[in-house]
Amino acid sequence: MSEKKSPVTMEKLVNLCKARGIIFPGSEIYGGMGNTWDYGPVGVEIKNNLKRAWWKRFVQESENSFGVDAAILMNSRVWEASGHTTSFSDPKMDCKECKSRHRADNLIENHSKGKVNPDLMTNDEMEAYIQEHHVCCPICGKFNWTNIRTFNLMFETSRGVTDESQNKIYLRPETAQGEFVNFLNVQRTTRAKVPFGIAQVGKAFRNEITPGNFIFRTIEFEQMEHQWFCKEGTDGQYYEEFKKKAYTFLTDLGFDPEHLRFKDHDKLAHYAKAACDIQYLFPMGWSELNGIHNRTDYDLSRHQEFSGKTMTYIDPVSGERYIPYVIEYSIGADRLMLAVLSEAYDEETLDDGEVRNILKLHPALAAYKAAVLPLQKNLSPKAEEICAKLKKKFSITFDSAGSIGKRYRRQDEIGTPLCITVDFETLENGTVTVRDRDTMQQIRLPIDELESYISKAIEF
Ligand code: ATP
């Protein structure tokens, strides 16, 4: 597999995002709040477009898939049934010298340069490896560890109007359970027949031990999850189908297949029949972008057991009763955003030696579909008129400050696919120039044709 030739580094991305209103550090004026990030005016548009593209592909265009938007705060029994209260944890070790906290599995993976797989080890085995190989603290370089302790990643809060009546509740660590608990609600109200899917996009929270790499791993993030309910025996076929669908979604967004690869899980959860990730070649190396899991009938069976309510599906034709299997496809919206930005980032040296920074985003993802630019200030009224008309259909920006060349560069940097320039000819014959971000080619178009031209250019 080829290493990435693109000039992107994490530092360049973080700087670009901050400078151009894509992503800012969270609570910045108070010195920040570790591993939280705020999306700015450009970033929120790109992220919304990503979520829209995902929803279009996996709900709108999918046969028999339906959306839900479940509450973040759920009955605590949900997390007992799902196993999160007992086993949603990471093996944590503290450095007694510098007090930094680490995941034992990450220490081993980094020390062995990926040759040893800690997923296959018990806590005792991980401790033994760290001792034997004298794995030092990556922060201070010393070797003085606590034992491994497991650390539950769920954020706790409490609910109740008086101090005495407080009940412990959790911020959901994944959106999936909102889809499982609504399985029969959705089935009944849509009259869907198995196989069918339930999708959701929403916030999830994890008290990660080692967050970092910008928006790759944060403590608050958004997930886009799709659960496909099917009959046992058909699960293998749908697992393969979702692997394909998840991959095609990425290549259709413009990802280079050289930067994507499947990685089967070496160790399966006790209930899982199959599991794999799609990894992306991020600026810091190959890492998980999304997961596809065959979860068997575990989730619905557990909810049936813990809630006492049936989760059984009755086939309307055969009358057969069964608890469906689930194929889960799960991708983080923020992690996808990082991948999309990394993939789109480019630097081009022009003939005059100037370096052009471009975000080669799929036009459907770009924050602004076009920028309207008056060649000179006195053309602004006409340009504003065109801009106002287009804004009724698309997200459009307007820029009249600085030379036209500088304005083109600003739009290239945030990935605006088209620049519409209003010049003196516009006043004479009602035409404008339209410049393409990637080729920098310009064509002349009548104003009346702009709407259909943009619509075609941004299709996904
Ligand atoms: P990882 O091994 O990277 O922690 P995971 O295997 O725990 O991820 P899942 O629980 O399968 O992840 O979550 C599904 C998807 O949600 C991941 O593929 C990723 O895109 C996203 N995701 C998970 N944790 C985070 C996080 N802390 N920050 C941002 N995105 C996340």
Side-chain angles (χ1 to χ4, degrees), residues 88 103 173-174 206 208 215-223 225 265 277 288-291 293 328 330-336:
F88 191 55
R103 273 172 58 172
E174 62 175 28
R206 294 183 189 180
E208 298 275 9
I215 52 170
F216 177 80
R217 192 187 307 285
T218 48
I219 54 177
E220 172 185 343
F221 56 99
E222 264 182 294
Q223 286 187 313
E225 297 201 291
H265 287 199
D277 297 332
E288 171 179 341
L289 175 55
N290 69 240
H293 308 121
E328 174 179 81
S330 175
I331 183 163
D334 310 271
R335 202 173 279 188
L336 179 58

PDB file of all heavy atoms in Angstrom, residues 88 103 173-174 206 208 215-223 225 265 277 288-291 293 328 330-336, ligand 1:
ATOM      1  N   PHE A  88     -17.629  -1.381  29.435  1.00  0.00           N
ATOM      2  CA  PHE A  88     -17.183  -0.351  28.489  1.00  0.00           C
ATOM      3  C   PHE A  88     -15.992   0.383  29.096  1.00  0.00           C
ATOM      4  O   PHE A  88     -16.111   1.480  29.641  1.00  0.00           O
ATOM      5  CB  PHE A  88     -18.322   0.616  28.186  1.00  0.00           C
ATOM      6  CG  PHE A  88     -18.017   1.536  27.034  1.00  0.00           C
ATOM      7  CD1 PHE A  88     -17.654   1.050  25.799  1.00  0.00           C
ATOM      8  CD2 PHE A  88     -18.111   2.903  27.196  1.00  0.00           C
ATOM      9  CE1 PHE A  88     -17.377   1.896  24.744  1.00  0.00           C
ATOM     10  CE2 PHE A  88     -17.832   3.769  26.146  1.00  0.00           C
ATOM     11  CZ  PHE A  88     -17.466   3.253  24.923  1.00  0.00           C
ATOM     12  N   ARG A 103      -3.170   4.434  27.945  1.00  0.00           N
ATOM     13  CA  ARG A 103      -3.822   3.141  27.738  1.00  0.00           C
ATOM     14  C   ARG A 103      -2.736   2.109  27.532  1.00  0.00           C
ATOM     15  O   ARG A 103      -1.878   2.270  26.652  1.00  0.00           O
ATOM     16  CB  ARG A 103      -4.727   3.203  26.508  1.00  0.00           C
ATOM     17  CG  ARG A 103      -6.117   3.709  26.827  1.00  0.00           C
ATOM     18  CD  ARG A 103      -6.916   3.948  25.592  1.00  0.00           C
ATOM     19  NE  ARG A 103      -7.066   2.746  24.748  1.00  0.00           N
ATOM     20  CZ  ARG A 103      -7.859   2.691  23.692  1.00  0.00           C
ATOM     21  NH1 ARG A 103      -8.585   3.735  23.356  1.00  0.00           N
ATOM     22  NH2 ARG A 103      -7.941   1.592  22.967  1.00  0.00           N
ATOM     23  N   PRO A 173     -22.796   6.765  25.328  1.00  0.00           N
ATOM     24  CA  PRO A 173     -21.476   6.620  24.705  1.00  0.00           C
ATOM     25  C   PRO A 173     -21.568   6.181  23.247  1.00  0.00           C
ATOM     26  O   PRO A 173     -20.550   6.052  22.579  1.00  0.00           O
ATOM     27  CB  PRO A 173     -20.828   5.519  25.555  1.00  0.00           C
ATOM     28  CG  PRO A 173     -21.980   4.687  26.011  1.00  0.00           C
ATOM     29  CD  PRO A 173     -23.175   5.590  26.124  1.00  0.00           C
ATOM     30  N   GLU A 174     -22.772   5.913  22.778  1.00  0.00           N
ATOM     31  CA  GLU A 174     -23.000   5.549  21.367  1.00  0.00           C
ATOM     32  C   GLU A 174     -24.467   5.800  21.076  1.00  0.00           C
ATOM     33  O   GLU A 174     -25.287   5.852  22.001  1.00  0.00           O
ATOM     34  CB  GLU A 174     -22.656   4.070  21.121  1.00  0.00           C
ATOM     35  CG  GLU A 174     -23.530   3.118  21.919  1.00  0.00           C
ATOM     36  CD  GLU A 174     -23.293   1.645  21.594  1.00  0.00           C
ATOM     37  OE1 GLU A 174     -22.181   1.294  21.193  1.00  0.00           O
ATOM     38  OE2 GLU A 174     -24.257   0.861  21.738  1.00  0.00           O
ATOM     39  N   ARG A 206     -17.638  10.104  25.405  1.00  0.00           N
ATOM     40  CA  ARG A 206     -16.779   9.082  26.005  1.00  0.00           C
ATOM     41  C   ARG A 206     -15.646   9.765  26.754  1.00  0.00           C
ATOM     42  O   ARG A 206     -14.971  10.633  26.184  1.00  0.00           O
ATOM     43  CB  ARG A 206     -16.176   8.159  24.930  1.00  0.00           C
ATOM     44  CG  ARG A 206     -17.217   7.330  24.234  1.00  0.00           C
ATOM     45  CD  ARG A 206     -16.609   6.379  23.227  1.00  0.00           C
ATOM     46  NE  ARG A 206     -17.677   5.757  22.440  1.00  0.00           N
ATOM     47  CZ  ARG A 206     -17.487   4.883  21.475  1.00  0.00           C
ATOM     48  NH1 ARG A 206     -16.270   4.493  21.159  1.00  0.00           N
ATOM     49  NH2 ARG A 206     -18.513   4.372  20.813  1.00  0.00           N
ATOM     50  N   GLU A 208     -12.611   9.464  27.177  1.00  0.00           N
ATOM     51  CA  GLU A 208     -11.460   8.754  26.605  1.00  0.00           C
ATOM     52  C   GLU A 208     -10.198   8.987  27.426  1.00  0.00           C
ATOM     53  O   GLU A 208      -9.933  10.109  27.857  1.00  0.00           O
ATOM     54  CB  GLU A 208     -11.207   9.238  25.173  1.00  0.00           C
ATOM     55  CG  GLU A 208     -12.340   8.999  24.192  1.00  0.00           C
ATOM     56  CD  GLU A 208     -12.305   7.607  23.582  1.00  0.00           C
ATOM     57  OE1 GLU A 208     -11.515   6.776  24.034  1.00  0.00           O
ATOM     58  OE2 GLU A 208     -13.109   7.369  22.651  1.00  0.00           O
ATOM     59  N   ILE A 215      -9.574  16.268  15.809  1.00  0.00           N
ATOM     60  CA  ILE A 215     -10.943  15.764  16.032  1.00  0.00           C
ATOM     61  C   ILE A 215     -11.047  14.255  15.821  1.00  0.00           C
ATOM     62  O   ILE A 215     -12.143  13.718  15.760  1.00  0.00           O
ATOM     63  CB  ILE A 215     -11.961  16.498  15.123  1.00  0.00           C
ATOM     64  CG1 ILE A 215     -11.509  16.464  13.652  1.00  0.00           C
ATOM     65  CG2 ILE A 215     -12.170  17.929  15.592  1.00  0.00           C
ATOM     66  CD1 ILE A 215     -12.557  16.952  12.675  1.00  0.00           C
ATOM     67  N   PHE A 216      -9.896  13.557  15.757  1.00  0.00           N
ATOM     68  CA  PHE A 216      -9.947  12.107  15.544  1.00  0.00           C
ATOM     69  C   PHE A 216     -10.595  11.412  16.743  1.00  0.00           C
ATOM     70  O   PHE A 216     -11.491  10.599  16.601  1.00  0.00           O
ATOM     71  CB  PHE A 216      -8.537  11.552  15.325  1.00  0.00           C
ATOM     72  CG  PHE A 216      -8.521  10.064  15.174  1.00  0.00           C
ATOM     73  CD1 PHE A 216      -8.844   9.476  13.961  1.00  0.00           C
ATOM     74  CD2 PHE A 216      -8.200   9.235  16.245  1.00  0.00           C
ATOM     75  CE1 PHE A 216      -8.848   8.092  13.813  1.00  0.00           C
ATOM     76  CE2 PHE A 216      -8.208   7.855  16.106  1.00  0.00           C
ATOM     77  CZ  PHE A 216      -8.533   7.284  14.888  1.00  0.00           C
ATOM     78  N   ARG A 217     -10.091  11.705  17.941  1.00  0.00           N
ATOM     79  CA  ARG A 217     -10.649  11.088  19.143  1.00  0.00           C
ATOM     80  C   ARG A 217     -10.914  12.179  20.164  1.00  0.00           C
ATOM     81  O   ARG A 217      -9.992  12.769  20.720  1.00  0.00           O
ATOM     82  CB  ARG A 217      -9.689  10.056  19.725  1.00  0.00           C
ATOM     83  CG  ARG A 217     -10.336   9.182  20.788  1.00  0.00           C
ATOM     84  CD  ARG A 217      -9.344   8.266  21.476  1.00  0.00           C
ATOM     85  NE  ARG A 217      -8.570   7.462  20.559  1.00  0.00           N
ATOM     86  CZ  ARG A 217      -9.040   6.392  19.915  1.00  0.00           C
ATOM     87  NH1 ARG A 217     -10.252   5.988  20.121  1.00  0.00           N
ATOM     88  NH2 ARG A 217      -8.263   5.724  19.079  1.00  0.00           N
ATOM     89  N   THR A 218     -12.182  12.468  20.385  1.00  0.00           N
ATOM     90  CA  THR A 218     -12.566  13.530  21.310  1.00  0.00           C
ATOM     91  C   THR A 218     -13.483  12.937  22.364  1.00  0.00           C
ATOM     92  O   THR A 218     -13.897  11.779  22.257  1.00  0.00           O
ATOM     93  CB  THR A 218     -13.294  14.649  20.542  1.00  0.00           C
ATOM     94  OG1 THR A 218     -14.298  14.053  19.711  1.00  0.00           O
ATOM     95  CG2 THR A 218     -12.338  15.443  19.676  1.00  0.00           C
ATOM     96  N   ILE A 219     -13.835  13.754  23.352  1.00  0.00           N
ATOM     97  CA  ILE A 219     -14.687  13.221  24.407  1.00  0.00           C
ATOM     98  C   ILE A 219     -16.169  13.433  24.084  1.00  0.00           C
ATOM     99  O   ILE A 219     -17.033  12.816  24.666  1.00  0.00           O
ATOM    100  CB  ILE A 219     -14.310  13.818  25.785  1.00  0.00           C
ATOM    101  CG1 ILE A 219     -14.310  15.347  25.752  1.00  0.00           C
ATOM    102  CG2 ILE A 219     -12.945  13.302  26.218  1.00  0.00           C
ATOM    103  CD1 ILE A 219     -14.015  15.978  27.102  1.00  0.00           C
ATOM    104  N   GLU A 220     -16.445  14.335  23.157  1.00  0.00           N
ATOM    105  CA  GLU A 220     -17.812  14.552  22.680  1.00  0.00           C
ATOM    106  C   GLU A 220     -17.743  14.513  21.164  1.00  0.00           C
ATOM    107  O   GLU A 220     -16.903  15.185  20.577  1.00  0.00           O
ATOM    108  CB  GLU A 220     -18.284  15.932  23.153  1.00  0.00           C
ATOM    109  CG  GLU A 220     -19.588  16.355  22.569  1.00  0.00           C
ATOM    110  CD  GLU A 220     -19.985  17.781  22.964  1.00  0.00           C
ATOM    111  OE1 GLU A 220     -19.428  18.333  23.922  1.00  0.00           O
ATOM    112  OE2 GLU A 220     -20.845  18.336  22.273  1.00  0.00           O
ATOM    113  N   PHE A 221     -18.567  13.718  20.546  1.00  0.00           N
ATOM    114  CA  PHE A 221     -18.482  13.589  19.087  1.00  0.00           C
ATOM    115  C   PHE A 221     -19.827  13.145  18.535  1.00  0.00           C
ATOM    116  O   PHE A 221     -20.728  12.793  19.301  1.00  0.00           O
ATOM    117  CB  PHE A 221     -17.376  12.601  18.692  1.00  0.00           C
ATOM    118  CG  PHE A 221     -17.519  11.238  19.315  1.00  0.00           C
ATOM    119  CD1 PHE A 221     -18.082  10.179  18.615  1.00  0.00           C
ATOM    120  CD2 PHE A 221     -17.098  11.009  20.614  1.00  0.00           C
ATOM    121  CE1 PHE A 221     -18.219   8.916  19.199  1.00  0.00           C
ATOM    122  CE2 PHE A 221     -17.233   9.747  21.207  1.00  0.00           C
ATOM    123  CZ  PHE A 221     -17.792   8.710  20.497  1.00  0.00           C
ATOM    124  N   GLU A 222     -19.935  13.180  17.229  1.00  0.00           N
ATOM    125  CA  GLU A 222     -21.192  12.744  16.618  1.00  0.00           C
ATOM    126  C   GLU A 222     -20.979  11.433  15.884  1.00  0.00           C
ATOM    127  O   GLU A 222     -19.939  11.235  15.249  1.00  0.00           O
ATOM    128  CB  GLU A 222     -21.706  13.798  15.637  1.00  0.00           C
ATOM    129  CG  GLU A 222     -22.721  14.700  16.289  1.00  0.00           C
ATOM    130  CD  GLU A 222     -23.286  15.711  15.326  1.00  0.00           C
ATOM    131  OE1 GLU A 222     -22.518  16.568  14.873  1.00  0.00           O
ATOM    132  OE2 GLU A 222     -24.485  15.644  15.024  1.00  0.00           O
ATOM    133  N   GLN A 223     -21.974  10.575  15.990  1.00  0.00           N
ATOM    134  CA  GLN A 223     -21.918   9.302  15.273  1.00  0.00           C
ATOM    135  C   GLN A 223     -23.034   9.236  14.241  1.00  0.00           C
ATOM    136  O   GLN A 223     -24.105   9.841  14.419  1.00  0.00           O
ATOM    137  CB  GLN A 223     -22.102   8.131  16.240  1.00  0.00           C
ATOM    138  CG  GLN A 223     -20.884   7.869  17.107  1.00  0.00           C
ATOM    139  CD  GLN A 223     -21.049   6.608  17.920  1.00  0.00           C
ATOM    140  OE1 GLN A 223     -22.094   6.403  18.533  1.00  0.00           O
ATOM    141  NE2 GLN A 223     -20.032   5.767  17.951  1.00  0.00           N
ATOM    142  N   GLU A 225     -24.996   6.139  12.678  1.00  0.00           N
ATOM    143  CA  GLU A 225     -25.073   4.682  12.838  1.00  0.00           C
ATOM    144  C   GLU A 225     -26.301   4.130  12.125  1.00  0.00           C
ATOM    145  O   GLU A 225     -27.363   4.755  12.116  1.00  0.00           O
ATOM    146  CB  GLU A 225     -25.109   4.306  14.322  1.00  0.00           C
ATOM    147  CG  GLU A 225     -23.842   4.724  15.045  1.00  0.00           C
ATOM    148  CD  GLU A 225     -23.612   3.953  16.343  1.00  0.00           C
ATOM    149  OE1 GLU A 225     -24.382   4.169  17.295  1.00  0.00           O
ATOM    150  OE2 GLU A 225     -22.670   3.152  16.399  1.00  0.00           O
ATOM    151  N   HIS A 265     -11.288  -7.435  12.646  1.00  0.00           N
ATOM    152  CA  HIS A 265     -10.923  -7.451  14.069  1.00  0.00           C
ATOM    153  C   HIS A 265     -10.275  -8.795  14.400  1.00  0.00           C
ATOM    154  O   HIS A 265     -10.789  -9.836  13.997  1.00  0.00           O
ATOM    155  CB  HIS A 265     -12.165  -7.276  14.945  1.00  0.00           C
ATOM    156  CG  HIS A 265     -12.700  -5.877  14.924  1.00  0.00           C
ATOM    157  ND1 HIS A 265     -13.547  -5.391  15.877  1.00  0.00           N
ATOM    158  CD2 HIS A 265     -12.498  -4.857  14.054  1.00  0.00           C
ATOM    159  CE1 HIS A 265     -13.845  -4.132  15.600  1.00  0.00           C
ATOM    160  NE2 HIS A 265     -13.227  -3.787  14.490  1.00  0.00           N
ATOM    161  N   ASP A 277     -13.104  -3.001  10.400  1.00  0.00           N
ATOM    162  CA  ASP A 277     -13.075  -1.545  10.294  1.00  0.00           C
ATOM    163  C   ASP A 277     -12.687  -1.190   8.870  1.00  0.00           C
ATOM    164  O   ASP A 277     -12.011  -1.968   8.191  1.00  0.00           O
ATOM    165  CB  ASP A 277     -11.991  -0.946  11.208  1.00  0.00           C
ATOM    166  CG  ASP A 277     -12.263  -1.238  12.672  1.00  0.00           C
ATOM    167  OD1 ASP A 277     -13.448  -1.402  13.034  1.00  0.00           O
ATOM    168  OD2 ASP A 277     -11.280  -1.306  13.447  1.00  0.00           O
ATOM    169  N   GLU A 288      -8.659   3.617  12.357  1.00  0.00           N
ATOM    170  CA  GLU A 288     -10.076   3.300  12.093  1.00  0.00           C
ATOM    171  C   GLU A 288     -10.876   4.536  11.697  1.00  0.00           C
ATOM    172  O   GLU A 288     -10.825   5.557  12.378  1.00  0.00           O
ATOM    173  CB  GLU A 288     -10.685   2.691  13.367  1.00  0.00           C
ATOM    174  CG  GLU A 288     -12.192   2.527  13.278  1.00  0.00           C
ATOM    175  CD  GLU A 288     -12.800   1.908  14.542  1.00  0.00           C
ATOM    176  OE1 GLU A 288     -12.069   1.292  15.337  1.00  0.00           O
ATOM    177  OE2 GLU A 288     -14.027   2.049  14.711  1.00  0.00           O
ATOM    178  N   LEU A 289     -11.623   4.391  10.615  1.00  0.00           N
ATOM    179  CA  LEU A 289     -12.556   5.450  10.225  1.00  0.00           C
ATOM    180  C   LEU A 289     -13.981   5.028  10.559  1.00  0.00           C
ATOM    181  O   LEU A 289     -14.784   5.805  11.053  1.00  0.00           O
ATOM    182  CB  LEU A 289     -12.407   5.727   8.715  1.00  0.00           C
ATOM    183  CG  LEU A 289     -13.374   6.711   8.069  1.00  0.00           C
ATOM    184  CD1 LEU A 289     -13.353   8.058   8.782  1.00  0.00           C
ATOM    185  CD2 LEU A 289     -13.013   6.916   6.603  1.00  0.00           C
ATOM    186  N   ASN A 290     -14.323   3.781  10.264  1.00  0.00           N
ATOM    187  CA  ASN A 290     -15.664   3.296  10.635  1.00  0.00           C
ATOM    188  C   ASN A 290     -15.627   1.791  10.898  1.00  0.00           C
ATOM    189  O   ASN A 290     -14.645   1.118  10.574  1.00  0.00           O
ATOM    190  CB  ASN A 290     -16.704   3.637   9.574  1.00  0.00           C
ATOM    191  CG  ASN A 290     -16.556   2.884   8.285  1.00  0.00           C
ATOM    192  OD1 ASN A 290     -16.368   3.477   7.240  1.00  0.00           O
ATOM    193  ND2 ASN A 290     -16.641   1.564   8.323  1.00  0.00           N
ATOM    194  N   GLY A 291     -16.691   1.313  11.509  1.00  0.00           N
ATOM    195  CA  GLY A 291     -16.770  -0.115  11.830  1.00  0.00           C
ATOM    196  C   GLY A 291     -18.012  -0.748  11.226  1.00  0.00           C
ATOM    197  O   GLY A 291     -19.038  -0.084  11.047  1.00  0.00           O
ATOM    198  N   HIS A 293     -20.170  -4.369  11.941  1.00  0.00           N
ATOM    199  CA  HIS A 293     -20.216  -5.483  12.885  1.00  0.00           C
ATOM    200  C   HIS A 293     -21.439  -6.346  12.662  1.00  0.00           C
ATOM    201  O   HIS A 293     -22.528  -5.818  12.441  1.00  0.00           O
ATOM    202  CB  HIS A 293     -20.276  -4.959  14.335  1.00  0.00           C
ATOM    203  CG  HIS A 293     -19.194  -3.971  14.651  1.00  0.00           C
ATOM    204  ND1 HIS A 293     -19.454  -2.689  15.061  1.00  0.00           N
ATOM    205  CD2 HIS A 293     -17.857  -4.087  14.601  1.00  0.00           C
ATOM    206  CE1 HIS A 293     -18.315  -2.053  15.251  1.00  0.00           C
ATOM    207  NE2 HIS A 293     -17.332  -2.865  14.980  1.00  0.00           N
ATOM    208  N   GLU A 328     -24.420  -3.857  12.053  1.00  0.00           N
ATOM    209  CA  GLU A 328     -24.241  -2.451  12.439  1.00  0.00           C
ATOM    210  C   GLU A 328     -23.149  -1.803  11.590  1.00  0.00           C
ATOM    211  O   GLU A 328     -22.073  -2.378  11.401  1.00  0.00           O
ATOM    212  CB  GLU A 328     -23.824  -2.364  13.910  1.00  0.00           C
ATOM    213  CG  GLU A 328     -23.474  -0.948  14.343  1.00  0.00           C
ATOM    214  CD  GLU A 328     -23.088  -0.884  15.809  1.00  0.00           C
ATOM    215  OE1 GLU A 328     -21.927  -1.199  16.119  1.00  0.00           O
ATOM    216  OE2 GLU A 328     -23.952  -0.555  16.630  1.00  0.00           O
ATOM    217  N   SER A 330     -21.184   1.840  11.610  1.00  0.00           N
ATOM    218  CA  SER A 330     -21.053   3.001  12.489  1.00  0.00           C
ATOM    219  C   SER A 330     -19.856   3.854  12.080  1.00  0.00           C
ATOM    220  O   SER A 330     -18.746   3.351  11.925  1.00  0.00           O
ATOM    221  CB  SER A 330     -20.850   2.465  13.915  1.00  0.00           C
ATOM    222  OG  SER A 330     -20.608   3.519  14.780  1.00  0.00           O
ATOM    223  N   ILE A 331     -20.100   5.147  11.914  1.00  0.00           N
ATOM    224  CA  ILE A 331     -19.006   6.046  11.522  1.00  0.00           C
ATOM    225  C   ILE A 331     -19.139   7.368  12.269  1.00  0.00           C
ATOM    226  O   ILE A 331     -20.249   7.868  12.470  1.00  0.00           O
ATOM    227  CB  ILE A 331     -18.997   6.245   9.977  1.00  0.00           C
ATOM    228  CG1 ILE A 331     -17.814   7.126   9.545  1.00  0.00           C
ATOM    229  CG2 ILE A 331     -20.300   6.824   9.460  1.00  0.00           C
ATOM    230  CD1 ILE A 331     -17.498   7.025   8.058  1.00  0.00           C
ATOM    231  N   GLY A 332     -18.024   7.886  12.734  1.00  0.00           N
ATOM    232  CA  GLY A 332     -18.035   9.167  13.448  1.00  0.00           C
ATOM    233  C   GLY A 332     -18.065  10.310  12.445  1.00  0.00           C
ATOM    234  O   GLY A 332     -17.275  10.338  11.499  1.00  0.00           O
ATOM    235  N   ALA A 333     -18.994  11.260  12.654  1.00  0.00           N
ATOM    236  CA  ALA A 333     -19.097  12.394  11.724  1.00  0.00           C
ATOM    237  C   ALA A 333     -17.840  13.267  11.805  1.00  0.00           C
ATOM    238  O   ALA A 333     -17.359  13.779  10.793  1.00  0.00           O
ATOM    239  CB  ALA A 333     -20.337  13.223  12.034  1.00  0.00           C
ATOM    240  N   ASP A 334     -17.296  13.409  13.014  1.00  0.00           N
ATOM    241  CA  ASP A 334     -16.109  14.269  13.170  1.00  0.00           C
ATOM    242  C   ASP A 334     -14.871  13.568  12.616  1.00  0.00           C
ATOM    243  O   ASP A 334     -14.006  14.193  12.013  1.00  0.00           O
ATOM    244  CB  ASP A 334     -15.909  14.602  14.647  1.00  0.00           C
ATOM    245  CG  ASP A 334     -17.188  15.105  15.262  1.00  0.00           C
ATOM    246  OD1 ASP A 334     -17.422  16.315  15.221  1.00  0.00           O
ATOM    247  OD2 ASP A 334     -17.992  14.268  15.742  1.00  0.00           O
ATOM    248  N   ARG A 335     -14.814  12.253  12.839  1.00  0.00           N
ATOM    249  CA  ARG A 335     -13.663  11.513  12.312  1.00  0.00           C
ATOM    250  C   ARG A 335     -13.711  11.507  10.786  1.00  0.00           C
ATOM    251  O   ARG A 335     -12.690  11.626  10.116  1.00  0.00           O
ATOM    252  CB  ARG A 335     -13.657  10.087  12.870  1.00  0.00           C
ATOM    253  CG  ARG A 335     -12.290   9.488  12.801  1.00  0.00           C
ATOM    254  CD  ARG A 335     -12.241   8.173  13.493  1.00  0.00           C
ATOM    255  NE  ARG A 335     -12.113   8.271  14.941  1.00  0.00           N
ATOM    256  CZ  ARG A 335     -11.899   7.220  15.724  1.00  0.00           C
ATOM    257  NH1 ARG A 335     -11.775   6.023  15.190  1.00  0.00           N
ATOM    258  NH2 ARG A 335     -11.802   7.364  17.026  1.00  0.00           N
ATOM    259  N   LEU A 336     -14.921  11.409  10.244  1.00  0.00           N
ATOM    260  CA  LEU A 336     -15.063  11.476   8.785  1.00  0.00           C
ATOM    261  C   LEU A 336     -14.683  12.872   8.289  1.00  0.00           C
ATOM    262  O   LEU A 336     -14.059  13.025   7.242  1.00  0.00           O
ATOM    263  CB  LEU A 336     -16.506  11.121   8.381  1.00  0.00           C
ATOM    264  CG  LEU A 336     -16.815  11.169   6.892  1.00  0.00           C
ATOM    265  CD1 LEU A 336     -15.912  10.247   6.081  1.00  0.00           C
ATOM    266  CD2 LEU A 336     -18.280  10.802   6.624  1.00  0.00           C
TER     267      LEU A 336
HETATM  268  P1  ATP B   1     -11.638   3.527  18.561  1.00  0.00           P
HETATM  269  O1  ATP B   1     -11.066   2.128  18.558  1.00  0.00           O
HETATM  270  O2  ATP B   1     -11.017   4.437  17.548  1.00  0.00           O
HETATM  271  O3  ATP B   1     -11.761   4.126  19.912  1.00  0.00           O
HETATM  272  P2  ATP B   1     -14.162   2.248  18.606  1.00  0.00           P
HETATM  273  O4  ATP B   1     -13.854   0.951  17.945  1.00  0.00           O
HETATM  274  O5  ATP B   1     -14.309   2.334  20.063  1.00  0.00           O
HETATM  275  O6  ATP B   1     -13.136   3.374  18.078  1.00  0.00           O
HETATM  276  P3  ATP B   1     -16.904   2.361  17.911  1.00  0.00           P
HETATM  277  O7  ATP B   1     -17.383   2.215  19.279  1.00  0.00           O
HETATM  278  O8  ATP B   1     -17.060   1.213  16.966  1.00  0.00           O
HETATM  279  O9  ATP B   1     -15.406   2.875  17.907  1.00  0.00           O
HETATM  280  O10 ATP B   1     -17.549   3.672  17.292  1.00  0.00           O
HETATM  281  C1  ATP B   1     -17.892   3.800  15.922  1.00  0.00           C
HETATM  282  C2  ATP B   1     -17.238   4.987  15.270  1.00  0.00           C
HETATM  283  O11 ATP B   1     -17.421   6.170  16.054  1.00  0.00           O
HETATM  284  C3  ATP B   1     -15.720   4.873  15.110  1.00  0.00           C
HETATM  285  O12 ATP B   1     -15.404   4.131  13.961  1.00  0.00           O
HETATM  286  C4  ATP B   1     -15.320   6.330  14.977  1.00  0.00           C
HETATM  287  O13 ATP B   1     -15.540   6.784  13.648  1.00  0.00           O
HETATM  288  C5  ATP B   1     -16.301   7.029  15.902  1.00  0.00           C
HETATM  289  N1  ATP B   1     -15.701   7.279  17.221  1.00  0.00           N
HETATM  290  C6  ATP B   1     -15.585   6.423  18.253  1.00  0.00           C
HETATM  291  N2  ATP B   1     -15.000   7.003  19.315  1.00  0.00           N
HETATM  292  C7  ATP B   1     -14.739   8.277  18.950  1.00  0.00           C
HETATM  293  C8  ATP B   1     -14.147   9.395  19.608  1.00  0.00           C
HETATM  294  N3  ATP B   1     -13.742   9.322  20.864  1.00  0.00           N
HETATM  295  N4  ATP B   1     -14.021  10.547  18.929  1.00  0.00           N
HETATM  296  C9  ATP B   1     -14.462  10.654  17.641  1.00  0.00           C
HETATM  297  N5  ATP B   1     -15.041   9.645  16.979  1.00  0.00           N
HETATM  298  C10 ATP B   1     -15.179   8.467  17.600  1.00  0.00           C
END
